[in-house]
Amino acid sequence: MSIALFEDGKVMRIINDDALNNRCEEVGFQNAASRGKIEKLVQGYMHVFALDEHGSLFVIGLNHEGQLGLGKRDQYRADEFEQVSVINEKIVDVAASCFSCLSTALTESGKVYIWGNNRGVCIFEPRLTPFSSLHEAFFVCSEPWVTCRPINVGELPAITSKPENLLVGSFEKAFRDPIGTSE
């Protein structure tokens, strides 16, 4: 599934026909309640998230491991986006993995939700976690271990807002060098 986000907020599906010509068609948002401008597209494993300017999340694609977060247990290949309505708060960031079928969302108040494949357990509806970042959710819940995007060192203060953050503790442990710490 190839989908593109344009500057005006339109989401277009890119279709390849047999003559190797590409054509675009607008992807429908018929079930969207807010119908706001799409701010972010995220590609997962055979599915796509669209996050609009109001913080509403829409999904399209396959759902074999619950990665759409719609509460449905069917295989499901949608032709139009459907809204994820379980999270009753403005969503500010989303992430998905092409490898682990794990999906995550971060709300305005800092809550992190996961759904999809959580280390072999399929979660079909977004579930609140104790994590403080999407990176931490992927670190603990994805299999294979992957990150949702490269970790930027400049983001670490935001990621480390909780002292018990598992991700940061693992970084400290991995990069601790007892030989090079002579005083």
Side-chain angles (χ1 to χ4, degrees):
M1 176 182 310
S2 296
I3 295 192
L5 174 63
F6 290 87
E7 226 174 86
D8 63 358
K10 284 186 180 175
V11 177
M12 306 294 281
R13 182 182 357 233
I14 301 165
I15 300 167
N16 301 323
D17 63 21
D18 292 335
L20 298 176
N21 294 321
N22 292 336
R23 61 184 171 88
C24 292
E25 65 181 28
E26 191 166 355
V27 178
F29 280 85
Q30 288 79 2
N31 292 335
S34 62
R35 299 182 66 110
K37 178 182 173 188
I38 299 301
E39 298 285 334
K40 183 175 188 176
L41 278 181
V42 173
Q43 177 78 44
Y45 178 76
M46 299 297 289
H47 68 292
V48 175
F49 292 143
L51 183 62
D52 77 4
E53 63 188 334
H54 304 296
S56 297
L57 182 62
F58 302 91
V59 295
I60 189 171
L62 285 178
N63 191 46
H64 64 286
E65 295 190 39
Q67 62 265 43
L68 294 184
L70 296 171
K72 301 174 183 178
R73 295 182 179 269
D74 52 2
Q75 293 291 316
Y76 195 80
R77 180 164 186 112
D79 291 328
E80 65 181 47
F81 279 85
E82 285 194 44
Q83 186 172 7
V84 175
S85 57
V86 174
I87 302 172
N88 297 322
E89 192 176 340
K90 181 178 181 179
I91 298 170
V92 295
D93 200 5
V94 292
S97 171
C98 292
F99 301 106
S100 68
C101 293
L102 181 69
S103 303
T104 60
L106 175 68
T107 66
E108 193 170 44
S109 69
K111 295 176 183 170
V112 175
Y113 289 83
I114 63 166
W115 61 95
N117 186 334
N118 177 8
R119 298 192 154 274
V121 176
C122 294
I123 302 171
F124 290 89
E125 196 170 83
R127 183 178 294 168
L128 182 62
T129 70
F131 307 126
S132 58
S133 74
L134 299 182
H135 288 295
E136 188 178 15
F138 269 85
F139 177 74
V140 174
C141 300
S142 68
E143 187 177 49
W145 284 329
V146 295
T147 59
C148 53
R149 59 183 159 260
I151 297 174
N152 182 332
V153 176
E155 291 178 8
L156 284 178
I159 294 172
T160 61
S161 61
K162 287 185 175 178
E164 67 275 8
N165 187 298
L166 297 171
L167 181 65
V168 174
S170 294
F171 276 139
E172 289 173 351
K173 190 175 184 180
F175 290 102
R176 197 171 293 147
D177 181 9
I179 296 171
T181 56
S182 61
E183 292 183 28

